[in-house]
Amino acid sequence: MPQRALSPFSSVSAIRRAGLFGLGAAFCFALMGVAIKFAATELNNAMVVFLRNAFGLLALAPVLLRHGAAKLRTERLGMHIARCVIGLSAMYCFFFAIAHMPLAEAMLLNYSTPLYVPFIAWLWLQERPSAGLIPVVLVGFIGVSLILRPSNPAAAGWVGLVGLASGVMAAGAFVAIRRLARTEPALRIVFYFTALSLLISALPLPWMWQMPDARALLLMAMAGGCATLAQICLTRAYALAPAAQVAPFNYLVVVFAALWGWLIWNERSDALSIVGALLVVGSSLLALRQREGAKRATQQ
């Protein structure tokens, strides 16, 4: 009887390497947040988003040149535009939250996407969530409420709601990517998002333009470079191990962000915010694990 080929996820060394790539991605995403927070002291949010997209497209240019324009032709431009509008809205909210909230809490609210994905996928893709997922998500919402409670001045009010909106819209963008991925390769999805985001984020510049100095440009180049490197690390991690095993390393971005926030801006979280963060991270990981388990069950 011929031996069955081993799954790429079956190697212990592959999982360890995935963990290292996930760790690198978390570190780079946290550094991106640091660069954005510094740049936001000199530039308004519209300029920060525009420059992030400009440097993102610049970083993507060598890959596009290597693959050629033929790989970019699409028959789903409308869906790409929808994904761009949702994802770009999430970016505006996320960068605003980074500028006005403690870095770790802004990161955490943006990374709460697994709490919202099941319900957006239910409404958009008719993928009904399992009954066991409901209590997990409710626990996550309790964690979010502890972070956004009125007695927490760093995250209370509309600034905290903007941070929360970044997570909800990021979840919507994730569902849109899943829908696009049925027919579109990853490079095409990334290109249309980056190019369309650059065009749309340029629209308010006649009213919001600020001439960035060398320091601001360097910070935004650092943000774009760190984000690109993080995406590469994350892609490698997901190629080596299942999403449920990579996800815990993703959430180390909150730990790195908390360390940077403490060292640079003396940002500190109180006990209730820490409890809320633990509930959000734990429930997000459980929600992701349940979704991965349900996906494997349907594929068997």
Side-chain angles (χ1 to χ4, degrees):
M1 179 182 296
Q3 289 185 339
R4 180 184 299 175
L6 290 176
S7 164
F9 296 153
S10 61
S11 168
V12 174
S13 64
I15 293 174
R16 287 175 181 169
R17 283 187 291 143
L20 290 175
F21 278 117
L23 185 67
F27 184 76
C28 290
F29 273 130
L31 275 182
M32 180 207 74
V34 171
I36 293 294
K37 197 170 182 71
F38 271 121
T41 63
E42 302 182 25
L43 300 172
N44 59 52
N45 200 42
M47 284 296 302
V48 170
V49 173
F50 172 75
L51 289 174
R52 162 65 185 89
N53 290 319
F55 281 111
L57 189 59
L58 188 64
L60 195 60
V63 181
L64 297 173
L65 290 173
R66 187 166 68 248
H67 285 82
K71 296 283 187 181
L72 304 178
R73 292 174 185 162
T74 183
E75 297 179 357
R76 304 191 66 188
L77 183 59
M79 191 63 201
H80 281 288
I81 293 173
R83 178 266 191 274
C84 172
V85 170
I86 299 170
L88 185 60
S89 299
M91 189 184 297
Y92 274 109
C93 292
F94 182 37
F95 289 176
F96 183 88
I98 287 176
H100 295 87
M101 291 177 63
L103 184 59
E105 293 183 1
M107 287 282 184
L108 181 64
L109 290 174
N110 185 256
Y111 272 69
S112 63
T113 52
L115 302 179
Y116 318 114
V117 166
F119 302 103
I120 296 175
W122 186 11
L123 294 172
W124 197 347
L125 306 181
Q126 287 74 53
E127 296 178 359
R128 188 180 182 87
S130 65
L133 193 61
I134 306 300
V136 172
V137 172
L138 289 176
V139 170
F141 288 161
I142 292 172
V144 171
S145 68
L146 288 176
I147 295 170
L148 300 181
R149 69 190 190 282
S151 60
N152 181 13
W158 66 276
V159 173
L161 293 178
V162 171
L164 179 64
S166 76
V168 176
M169 285 185 283
F174 178 79
V175 174
I177 291 170
R178 283 175 55 190
R179 190 167 181 177
L180 278 168
R182 295 173 180 174
T183 59
E184 305 285 86
L187 177 63
R188 194 180 300 162
I189 294 173
V190 173
F191 165 74
Y192 278 101
F193 173 70
T194 308
L196 290 169
S197 292
L198 180 61
L199 290 173
I200 296 173
S201 62
L203 294 178
L205 293 188
W207 301 274
M208 305 294 290
W209 175 260
Q210 292 176 282
M211 181 60 69
D213 59 17
R215 179 176 180 271
L217 286 173
L218 184 62
L219 286 168
M220 293 310 304
M222 175 183 167
C226 286
T228 300
L229 185 57
Q231 290 290 352
I232 292 170
C233 288
L234 207 55
T235 301
R236 289 291 298 136
Y238 282 124
L240 290 165
Q245 293 180 345
V246 174
F249 295 97
N250 292 349
Y251 282 93
L252 288 175
V253 68
V254 180
V255 177
F256 288 130
L259 287 173
W260 287 120
W262 174 60
L263 289 171
I264 299 172
W265 296 283
N266 196 31
E267 296 174 348
R268 301 172 187 270
S269 297
D270 58 23
L272 283 178
S273 294
I274 292 173
V275 171
L278 292 174
L279 291 177
V280 171
V281 172
S283 58
S284 295
L285 291 174
L286 282 174
L288 179 61
R289 188 173 291 273
Q290 284 197 23
R291 201 164 64 246
E292 287 291 308
K295 187 188 300 183
R296 285 195 299 270
T298 57
Q299 292 173 349
Q300 290 176 351

